[in-house]
Amino acid sequence: MIRVTRTQKPDLLADNEANWKRAIRLASTDAARKNAQDKYKHDEIKEALIDMFQGKCAYCESDITHIDYGHIEHFKPKGTPAYYELAVDWDNLLLACGRCNGAENKGTKFPLADNGGPLVNPVEKEPSKHLRCDFDPRLKLANVLGISKRGETTQRTLGLNRPQLLKHRSKFVAKLWVIASRYHEDNEARRIIDLAIYPQEEYSAFALAVKESL
């Protein structure tokens, strides 16, 4: 997970957010509320999120858009009464992959402080204060480790070390590790590692950890 700067609110939301929130607030039935909340499902909003997160999952940093459409993720779940209106609040929207946002991982979960939360939001907090990217060159495993209570809760809730993600990410980082071993003597190796830490690149937080270990 990397820090992401929140971009400007899409014009569609800037023009309609207040009215949409009012409709949610005044909804007299669950069906009416859902209809009002679903205004967030708009191409302009989705494209703005794709641009902001550069096509990557806000949580696991996996590339999304070449294999899937991705989810508009509500950091604070829109099904919780206290957060109903946040369904159409730009500051509550992220881009996530279907696995991080799936019911088996985050889903509608939002642990509070007494349960080890809140989760780390990459547009509000610096993830590296709570999570560490650890690569074991002997075992060739690239694990995300919680270094605070919130970090541990975030890693566990989002499934940031779920088996298939860990397998894919570890193969990727193992290759970077080999390339990085020639960083100081090979211009092409140096170029590859220097590019890999760019925020638009998959698993850039791990690439940075590899470079900092040199």
Side-chain angles (χ1 to χ4, degrees):
M1 192 184 297
I2 61 169
R3 187 75 162 88
V4 175
T5 300
R6 176 70 67 180
T7 55
Q8 185 175 348
K9 186 182 300 183
D11 290 341
L12 181 77
L13 264 179
D15 293 340
N16 295 286
E17 184 176 343
N19 288 333
W20 289 351
K21 286 185 175 181
R22 183 173 181 272
I24 294 169
R25 191 163 57 249
L26 296 178
S28 58
T29 65
D30 288 344
R33 173 177 52 79
K34 184 180 185 304
N35 182 62
Q37 286 182 315
D38 282 354
K39 300 299 184 184
Y40 78 87
K41 297 177 180 179
H42 194 283
D43 288 346
E44 184 178 330
I45 295 173
K46 182 68 166 291
E47 287 303 318
L49 288 170
I50 290 172
D51 288 345
M52 181 166 71
F53 290 97
Q54 303 188 78
K56 299 195 303 181
C57 176
Y59 298 132
C60 72
E61 268 205 283
S62 296
D63 283 335
I64 300 175
T65 53
H66 67 296
I67 57 170
D68 194 19
Y69 295 103
H71 288 192
I72 296 179
E73 143 75 344
H74 293 85
F75 183 67
K76 294 180 179 178
K78 66 183 186 298
T80 300
Y83 309 137
Y84 279 167
E85 293 182 34
L86 299 185
V88 294
D89 191 308
W90 180 237
D91 290 337
N92 192 48
L93 304 182
L94 309 174
L95 182 73
C97 69
R99 294 301 301 273
C100 282
N101 196 38
E104 73 277 19
N105 294 308
K106 182 176 182 290
T108 60
K109 303 178 187 73
F110 192 69
L112 300 177
D114 56 353
N115 286 313
L119 303 178
V120 177
N121 184 336
V123 298
E124 293 180 354
K125 300 293 181 182
E126 174 51 59
S128 63
K129 294 184 181 298
H130 301 279
L131 299 163
R132 179 164 66 87
C133 297
D134 179 78
F135 179 68
D136 185 325
R138 183 175 64 85
L139 298 176
K140 294 182 173 56
L141 290 177
N143 281 290
V144 175
L145 305 179
I147 55 175
S148 69
K149 189 173 183 179
R150 287 181 64 185
E152 291 173 356
T153 302
T154 298
Q155 185 281 118
R156 184 174 60 254
T157 302
L158 297 176
L160 294 181
N161 292 320
R162 55 187 181 267
Q164 290 303 311
L165 172 60
L166 179 63
K167 179 180 179 181
H168 174 72
R169 187 176 63 212
S170 295
K171 286 181 178 179
F172 180 88
V173 178
K175 293 174 184 177
L176 283 184
W177 183 267
V178 172
I179 295 169
S181 68
R182 299 189 56 80
Y183 183 88
H184 296 295
E185 58 198 61
D186 187 296
N187 288 338
E188 183 61 14
R190 184 160 54 253
R191 187 187 72 83
I192 291 172
I193 297 301
D194 288 346
L195 288 176
I197 68 173
Y198 281 21
Q200 67 266 30
E201 298 299 319
E202 193 171 37
Y203 311 128
S204 58
F206 271 93
L208 181 60
V210 168
K211 182 175 180 179
E212 289 178 342
S213 72
L214 297 176

